[in-house]
């Protein structure tokens, strides 16, 4: 809080104390974090720049522009840390008190004018949740509460919810993935939902690309040539649409199958189709396992 009764000598004494603690002259951000007095009180008392305040304290001012700039990930982790400590998204004033960085840095890095928009963009919180918290209203749920709600939704549906079902149930799937720090499968695991109850379509989407290639090769060997789309629909284990989409078109699927069959004939390799599929993925820059 602002304290108009504090004297300049008291402030100078405290700045020197902060410098001994930090082992260098404090920046305004550092003093806000470790200083005894409110930064606004200091600025009002001296009515000058921070560099002149430091010099008035008999210290050498060191510009911080040459110091290491915090990465976006560091800013995000610090926002999440403060949110975890407070059990809700921090308001600008709360982050100024508990955060390691200046709130203005958060806003500049996010490229947003409003604090709630910057926090929503950087840490994945709902803009409305931050805004409601700043207005001291609304209801904010912790990650644990959202996972419990997801588990409840799973019980209501009778299977592991898809991201679409979660969104329809009032759960922001994208935000929950960012909070947990992984893919939707990781969210389901964190919620202790049995992955075996996922829909066939959801399980197919998480099937590694090398497994899809191995199945195409298996059908190719049965036919003696790369299969057409209709032939794979009839004999393949997975959705032809999924395979085509993952590998970049059915022409590319047939090309991959032919290359693998040719490579196997030339080398006489006994390597498993799945291992060969992984080898071919390494050689095909456009083919990757699903994110």
């Amino acid at each position: 809080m602002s304290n108009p009764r504090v004297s300049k000598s008291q402030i100078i004494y405290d700045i020197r104390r902060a410098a001994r603690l930090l082992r260098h002259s404090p920046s305004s951000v550092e003093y806000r974090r470790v200083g005894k007095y409110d930064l606004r009180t200091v600025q009002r008392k001296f009515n000058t720049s921070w560099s002149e305040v430091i010099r008035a304290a008999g210290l050498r001012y060191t510009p911080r522009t040459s110091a290491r700039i915090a990465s976006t990930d560091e800013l995000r982790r610090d926002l999440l840390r403060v949110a975890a400590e407070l059990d809700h998204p921090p308001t600008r004033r709360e982050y100024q008190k508990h955060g390691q960085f200046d709130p203005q840095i958060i806003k500049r890095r996010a490229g947003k004018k409003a604090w709630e928009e910057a926090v929503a963009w950087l840490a994945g919180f709902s803009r409305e949740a931050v805004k409601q918290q700043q207005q001291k209203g609304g209801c904010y749920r912790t990650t644990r509460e959202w996972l419990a709600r997801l588990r409840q939704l799973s019980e209501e549906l009778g299977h592991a919810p898809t991201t679409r079902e979660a969104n329809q149930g009032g759960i922001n799937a994208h935000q929950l993935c960012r909070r947990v720090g992984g893919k939707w499968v990781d969210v389901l695991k964190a919620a202790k939902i049995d992955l075996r109850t996922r829909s066939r379509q959801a399980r197919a989407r998480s099937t590694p690309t090398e497994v899809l290639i191995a199945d195409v090769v298996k059908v190719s060997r049965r036919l003696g040539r790369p299969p057409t789309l209709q032939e794979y629909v009839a004999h393949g284990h997975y959705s032809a649409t999924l395979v085509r989409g993952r590998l970049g078109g059915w022409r590319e699927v047939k090309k991959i199958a032919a290359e693998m069959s040719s490579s196997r004939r030339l080398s006489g390799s006994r390597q498993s189709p799945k291992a060969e599929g992984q080898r071919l993925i390494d050689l095909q820059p456009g083919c990757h396992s699903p994110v």
Side-chain angles (χ1 to χ4, degrees):
M1 294 179 61
S2 178
N3 185 358
R5 297 181 180 179
V6 65
S7 65
K8 286 187 177 182
S9 60
Q10 288 175 304
I11 293 174
I12 287 174
Y13 180 84
D14 192 59
I15 290 175
R16 290 173 178 172
R17 178 196 60 80
R20 288 194 296 271
L21 178 66
L22 297 169
R23 297 186 178 180
H24 60 255
S25 60
S27 66
S28 59
V29 175
E30 290 171 328
Y31 184 76
R32 180 185 287 125
R33 190 168 69 248
V34 303
K36 180 179 177 181
Y37 304 109
D38 189 285
L39 186 61
R40 291 171 298 178
T41 300
V42 177
Q43 292 170 332
R44 186 159 46 247
K45 275 289 180 183
F46 285 85
N47 193 27
T48 186
S49 65
W50 183 254
S51 60
E52 291 303 319
V53 172
I54 291 297
R55 293 188 181 100
L59 299 173
R60 180 180 179 182
Y61 174 71
T62 304
R64 292 286 178 257
T65 52
S66 61
R68 185 181 67 83
I69 299 173
S71 68
T72 302
D73 281 341
E74 286 178 299
L75 298 177
R76 180 181 297 111
R77 284 197 299 269
D78 195 56
L79 271 171
L80 293 172
R81 175 189 63 79
V82 174
E85 290 178 0
L86 299 174
D87 205 26
H88 62 252
T91 64
R92 190 181 189 282
R93 185 181 295 274
E94 287 173 332
Y95 185 75
Q96 183 171 305
K97 180 178 180 181
H98 301 284
Q100 295 181 359
F101 307 101
D102 191 324
Q104 197 62 29
I105 294 175
I106 300 290
K107 291 170 64 177
R108 282 202 302 267
R109 185 64 57 85
K112 308 291 183 182
K113 291 184 178 180
W115 174 254
E116 61 269 18
E117 291 178 353
V119 174
W121 180 87
L122 196 60
F125 291 115
S126 163
R127 177 183 176 277
E128 288 305 313
V130 183
K131 194 171 182 179
Q132 288 172 354
Q133 189 63 37
Q134 292 197 115
Q135 295 170 348
K136 299 188 182 297
C139 177
Y140 171 76
R141 290 187 177 183
T142 64
T143 302
R144 182 177 298 178
E145 288 173 327
W146 279 122
L147 292 175
R149 174 71 188 94
L150 183 64
R151 190 161 52 249
Q152 181 184 348
L153 178 62
S154 175
E155 293 170 357
E156 293 171 359
L157 295 172
H159 61 258
T162 63
T163 54
R164 176 175 295 181
E165 290 171 333
N167 289 328
Q168 290 173 346
I171 301 169
N172 188 320
H174 175 68
Q175 182 186 131
L176 198 49
C177 284
R178 293 187 69 173
R179 287 201 191 185
V180 172
K183 304 173 186 175
W184 186 244
V185 172
D186 299 310
V187 172
L188 295 176
K189 289 178 181 178
K192 298 180 181 178
I193 295 173
D194 189 351
L195 298 182
R196 294 173 297 181
T197 64
R198 287 182 300 164
S199 67
R200 181 178 178 182
Q201 184 181 14
R203 291 197 301 271
R205 281 200 298 266
S206 63
T207 302
T209 302
E210 63 268 21
V211 174
L212 300 179
I213 293 176
D215 192 59
V216 173
V217 172
K218 183 179 178 180
V219 174
S220 298
R221 289 173 183 167
R222 184 184 305 172
L223 297 174
R225 56 179 170 75
T228 63
L229 178 64
Q230 291 74 18
E231 287 172 335
Y232 184 76
V233 170
H235 302 287
H237 182 72
Y238 300 97
S239 163
T241 303
L242 173 67
V243 175
R244 180 176 59 187
R246 189 77 64 79
L247 300 180
W250 199 255
R251 181 177 295 180
E252 189 66 23
V253 172
K254 293 175 70 174
K255 179 182 176 182
I256 289 173
E259 287 178 359
M260 290 191 65
S261 298
S262 174
S263 174
R264 186 176 177 83
R265 284 196 299 270
L266 290 174
S267 64
S269 170
R270 293 184 179 179
Q271 197 173 31
S272 70
K274 182 176 177 180
E276 289 187 70
Q278 180 59 57
R279 178 185 63 80
L280 194 60
I281 286 175
D282 296 336
L283 298 177
Q284 298 283 335
C287 300
H288 301 285
S289 295
V291 176

